[in-house]
Amino acid sequence: MAEQQFRWKGEFPKIGIRPTIDGRRRGVRESLEEQTMNMALGVAKLISDNLRYPDGTPVQCVIADTTIGGVAESAAAASKFAKENVGVSITVTPCWCYGTETMDMDPAVPKAVWGFNGTERPGAVYLAAVLSGYAQKGLPAFGIYGNDVQDAGSKEVPEDVKGKLLGFARAGLAVALMKGKSYLSMGSVSMGIAGSIVNDAFFQEYLGLRTEYIDMSEFVRRMEENIYDPVEFEKAFAWVKKNCVEGPDNNPEDIQLSRAKKDQDWETVVKMTIIARDLMVGNPRLEELGFGEEAQGHNAIVSGFQGQRQWTDHFPNGDFMETMLNSSFDWNGIRAPYIVSTENDSLNGAVMLFGNLLTNTAQIFADVRTYWSPESVERVTGHKLSGAAENGILHLINSGSATMDGTGEQSRDGQPAMKPFWEITEEEAQKCLDATSWRSASVGYFRGGGYSSDFLTRGGMPLTMSRLNLVKGIGPVLQIAEGYSVDLPEAVHKTLDERTDPTWPTTWFAPILNGKGAFKNVYDVMDNWGANHGSISYGHIGADLITLASMLRIPVSMHNVPEEQLFRPRAWGLFGTDNAESADYRACANFGPLYK
């Protein structure tokens, strides 16, 4: 089954490059045509060489047919961009241009302006003028200005400019890729978790996503009426029996499920996985089997499964389904991960989606469960924490739904990593599988049985933990903590892990401390975290998350990203420069949700 052929509906959004120019003819404009267009060509090449869509293909750029010297050419570029499905706009210029005549006026398209730092022509003057115009019109735009003066004929894109162009483009593409897609709520509210109260207004007004809903009884209907591909099921079941090793049953013997029930559960959870995927993105095979309506799917770029408790008190839990979909491989081979949130925590699903779109990698869903102080670890185990863990660690663990990519069994430059699917080898995928065992679900939690994944994340990976919270009167608020996964001696891990549920996957996480705000110590990170869940992404991507949040008008309440890496629209500085966090709140409140 070629998933790539139907998974992403429609074409991917492109990045539009707008070369603007001084409109004065008879020598001025003519002398700038080549330099201006070369800037556009250089930006397009930079982006296409470095960024990829979720399917692994290079990001496409569209350049205006001519340089833009006035309102007529600006309108012509807008018309071309509309036909070419442009979702992100970058304006480039080496000179003065007529600001309000040449600016991009689409309010829903993220926009940036690169003003060339050169002495021959006033590119910086245009940059300041047009950004002032954007602020005055309520259209926040990002300003890009190189640190060093360049010669007029230079075709080079300076390193600092490259960083800002790529950071803006990554975040802008995330905005454009979400627009028009869906969050699929499979079930409703799980155990009173507020994040699983799916807020339609948030998804619509901030992310441009529809909210789609199905009752969990749809899984039963599809299983009982055979609304899935039976050929794929047989292939999947054989693959699972070979690759998904069943671990020991930790339940007391008197309540352990029978072998016959466990075998039946394996069949059920494999069917649940296929059905959940088909619900999200559709499946043309269902059309061939006579299920034309079901073949369409819900065009969901992210979903959540309620599970507890109405489902899990009677049926096998959703852990296998969620783990398998969130991983970058299954019985059909190596492929892009699906984003599925446990317990239908839609807000954690949203930040999982942010991390995935920014990195093209799988995301770890976890409870932010326990802060272990150095003193507590030493008291319980006799071990003194050191290295990245010396100030304490957070135990990130959830009911077996975390991506198998989170084992850290993929590698980059000899170090553990989580990679885009097109970089993952068959050997690495197998290592992730081999590092994961499938434990019979804790019957106390999951009366209906099922299986939970169990693995330990390898230490040494740079990670970013994030979380969205909804606050009445404010709206969505983002939290970010960059840090590292850490290794503990095996006996120490075992002692700490067995104090909770050892059948679930564990990531030991040490946030980076900077002595400021919530990052004075590890306890404060835990104490200030806004919910019971977090999404963990490979790499230190806090700066990109902050850029993305500003595009969506979501303020950031806590982060440990170095100040020099922050990149927000230029207008944010007009809300105060003494405290960037407070200015962020004021700017987001002032401009309001992107799609409202």
Side-chain angles (χ1 to χ4, degrees), residues 381-422:
T381 69
H383 175 72
K384 187 176 181 62
L385 294 175
S386 60
E390 67 178 342
N391 296 303
I393 48 178
L394 301 182
H395 194 179
L396 308 182
I397 180 172
N398 192 263
S399 62
S401 58
T403 172
M404 285 185 283
D405 298 54
T407 57
E409 293 295 333
Q410 301 161 25
S411 65
R412 179 174 286 147
D413 300 324
Q415 299 299 312
M418 296 167 63
K419 302 192 294 191
F421 78 90
W422 57 84

Side-chain angles (χ1 to χ4, degrees), residues 215-228:
D215 190 271
M216 289 182 292
S217 63
E218 178 65 6
F219 282 84
V220 180
R221 183 181 80 91
R222 293 196 181 204
M223 284 189 282
E224 292 185 353
E225 298 183 21
N226 298 315
I227 307 175
Y228 56 86

